[in-house]
Amino acid sequence: MPDDVLLGAIEDVPGVTDVDVSYEDDVTNGEQYSGRLEVDDSANPACVLDRVYAILWQGRDAVIGVSVVQGGEVTAEPPPGISFFQKTDEMQDRYGPRPTEGVLVEPEAPPACR
């Protein structure tokens, strides 16, 4: 899935007001999606972060390190059951298999949103 499609989907997540997320591949940190999102006061930051992980899971095989900022408070913990250095089985258990058709699958209700 192209990064621009993923980032566009993140911008469309309800409550997201600003996206500063990018893909990087370097010798020190390896492949990763990293950055931050700002959300409005009415958003559930855990739900937003879970949706973002579900979206980025559909992209490159990379670690996700995204934080959510709401009212000056930062949420950087990965969703429950997902370690800081995500393992494929953790991600599949939470979000299902990575799509292979090249079509973005919109996450309906990741666990933190239920």
Side-chain angles (χ1 to χ4, degrees), residues 1-111:
M1 183 65 52
D3 292 336
D4 60 333
V5 171
L6 298 174
L7 296 176
I10 292 170
E11 290 173 352
D12 292 340
V13 170
V16 172
T17 59
D18 186 47
V19 177
D20 183 15
V21 175
S22 62
Y23 168 81
E24 298 175 15
D25 184 7
D26 64 49
V27 175
T28 305
N29 298 315
E31 293 182 88
Q32 64 180 341
Y33 288 105
S34 62
R36 66 171 185 75
L37 309 167
E38 288 189 31
V39 298
D40 62 35
D41 291 340
S42 66
N44 174 337
C47 177
V48 169
L49 195 57
D50 212 9
R51 284 185 185 281
V52 168
Y53 270 62
I55 290 167
L56 291 175
W57 164 243
Q58 298 178 59
R60 302 174 197 238
D61 187 12
V63 172
I64 301 169
V66 175
S67 60
V68 174
V69 179
Q70 182 182 48
E73 297 291 320
V74 178
T75 302
E77 293 288 324
I82 305 295
S83 62
F84 276 102
F85 298 102
Q86 298 88 39
K87 299 178 179 115
T88 300
D89 60 335
E90 294 173 338
M91 298 297 278
Q92 283 182 339
D93 287 349
R94 192 163 184 94
Y95 306 116
R98 181 176 271 133
T100 58
E101 297 83 33
V103 176
L104 183 70
V105 177
E106 192 62 39
E108 292 197 22

